[in-house]
Amino acid sequence: QETKKKLDSKELENEQLHKALNKAKREAERAVVAKDNFLSNMSHEIRTPLNAIIGFSDILKKEKLNDSQIDLIDTISNAGENLLSIINDILDLSKIESGQFLLEKKPFSPAKALKAVCEMQSEKATEKNIKLEKEIDDTVPELVLGDVFRLSQITTNLINNAIKFTQDGFVKVSASADLLDDDNCTLTIKVQDSGIGIPEDKQQLVFERFTQADAATSHKFGGTGLGLNIVKLLVDKFNGSLSLESKVGEGSVFTVSIPFKIERELEEAKQKEIP
Ligand code: ADP
């Protein structure tokens, strides 16, 4: 009788605990949804006036203006662009973290995607006297199945950083692939720079949100500490891996490895078209 009483009260205790836990879970989930909605609404509200600031400064630049007026308008326009990219990063982070985030699965050419990303960054590299090199190994399949937009976002963020933290040197982007079987490969993209490098004790921290390796230099170079966090979250979504080797004063190498299904049907269809 005594043991049964004890068991009953234990069961009751467990049930109460279970209920409390579920309640806390529901509340936490509601808080996350509220935070995501808030971020998303705020970002949209900020984006509209920002687009007006950027758009109208670009129109103003076409008027007859003296050099110092052009400089001022350029400053307004650049500040607007910077703010817009921060807002876009915040919006993107909450999107990637939300349960509904899915990667596309469409055929694309990794070589063409990397070429496009490098071309977009080449002007910035030239301005800083950086040689931007690209090397695509023969092992990289012509077509793979996946999300080209998100893969390009990963490489853009890495190349952007490599250029930002380098002056008068090189940035080398290389890609290679390891065949796992007939239909699958691991694509490895390396972004190497000869820039300022990252101290060993900061190398894991830089992937965390809002974290910068060194407050003083980061202040000089600008940025928010969101780029690498987005890279890390996206690489996780791709079921890939991410690593960093770096030495202060010598440079850094970021390596991303992602599994991809190789698209062969389109390749074969293309070959059949050739007489
Ligand atoms: P942001 O560049 O906007 O500050 P990131 O998340 O992209 O944010 O990078 C976080 C920090 O990591 C940077 O502030 C910088 O200190 C360091 N970092 C990233 N990439 C490099 C690089 N290629 N060379 C040196 N430091 C880097």
Side-chain angles (χ1 to χ4, degrees):
Q1 193 70 23
E2 197 58 24
T3 338
K4 191 176 178 301
K5 237 189 206 165
K6 259 191 197 162
L7 275 176
D8 280 351
S9 81
K10 198 93 198 137
E11 236 168 55
L12 198 71
E13 218 175 84
N14 274 347
E15 200 179 311
Q16 277 167 347
L17 214 68
H18 198 68
K19 268 188 189 158
L21 213 66
N22 272 341
K23 192 171 166 235
K25 227 164 125 187
R26 277 197 305 274
E27 273 168 10
E29 277 163 7
R30 266 201 296 271
V32 170
V33 171
K35 181 204 77 179
D36 284 347
N37 283 342
F38 171 75
L39 275 179
S40 164
N41 291 339
M42 276 293 288
S43 305
H44 283 298
E45 291 303 320
I46 296 171
R47 261 208 291 201
T48 314
L50 258 183
N51 279 324
I53 292 170
I54 297 166
F56 289 132
S57 0
D58 288 344
I59 292 174
L60 255 184
K61 259 196 296 193
K62 295 191 181 105
E63 299 291 321
K64 267 202 184 122
L65 300 168
N66 63 34
D67 284 353
S68 70
Q69 285 169 327
I70 292 177
D71 275 354
L72 288 176
I73 293 176
D74 273 342
T75 310
I76 295 174
S77 174
N78 288 339
E81 296 274 3
N82 280 341
L83 206 50
L84 193 62
S85 85
I86 295 170
I87 299 291
N88 285 339
D89 277 355
I90 293 175
L91 205 60
D92 235 18
L93 266 175
S94 66
K95 207 188 288 173
I96 296 166
E97 281 191 323
S98 82
Q100 296 109 2
F101 181 81
L102 284 177
L103 288 173
E104 285 238 17
K105 270 207 158 77
K106 283 192 179 151
F108 74 92
S109 151
K112 279 190 190 155
L114 277 182
K115 189 169 169 242
V117 169
C118 287
E119 270 167 14
M120 289 224 307
Q121 308 264 351
S122 69
E123 201 183 313
K124 238 187 298 160
T126 315
E127 274 170 19
K128 295 189 76 188
N129 197 23
I130 294 167
K131 192 165 177 254
L132 181 58
E133 298 167 71
K134 180 171 57 74
E135 199 178 271
I136 314 281
D137 195 77
D138 289 343
T139 48
V140 175
E142 191 141 339
L143 289 173
V144 297
L145 214 58
D147 196 320
V148 66
F149 173 71
R150 295 299 178 180
L151 182 70
S152 300
Q153 188 176 13
I154 292 173
T155 41
T156 299
N157 281 358
L158 294 178
I159 299 172
N160 207 357
N161 276 346
I163 295 174
K164 185 153 89 175
F165 296 103
T166 304
Q167 176 73 45
D168 306 325
F170 72 85
V171 170
K172 188 174 165 189
V173 184
S174 49
S176 63
D178 285 309
L179 217 59
L180 302 173
D181 57 43
D182 265 3
D183 294 321
N184 294 285
C185 72
T186 303
L187 181 70
T188 299
I189 299 172
K190 271 186 203 285
V191 178
Q192 181 180 6
D193 67 62
S194 62
I196 61 171
I198 302 170
E200 217 177 314
D201 60 329
K202 296 281 160 55
Q203 288 180 12
Q204 286 312 310
L205 290 177
V206 291
F207 295 102
E208 303 304 319
R209 196 165 304 178
F210 299 116
T211 313
Q212 300 182 314
D214 173 65
T217 43
S218 296
H219 193 69
K220 185 173 135 203
F221 293 101
T224 51
L226 292 176
L228 284 182
N229 190 243
I230 292 180
V231 168
K232 185 176 124 182
L233 291 177
L234 282 178
V235 171
D236 275 351
K237 293 278 175 193
F238 272 108
N239 287 326
S241 62
L242 177 64
S243 66
L244 160 65
E245 283 167 73
S246 185
K247 217 165 179 185
V248 173
E250 289 184 18
S252 315
V253 190
F254 285 85
T255 307
V256 173
S257 289
I258 293 176
F260 278 107
K261 200 166 160 42
I262 302 169
E263 172 66 63
R264 294 209 189 273
E265 276 172 29
L266 281 177
E267 245 176 85
E268 281 162 16
K270 242 199 242 163
Q271 273 165 11
K272 273 186 201 149
E273 274 171 26
I274 302 165

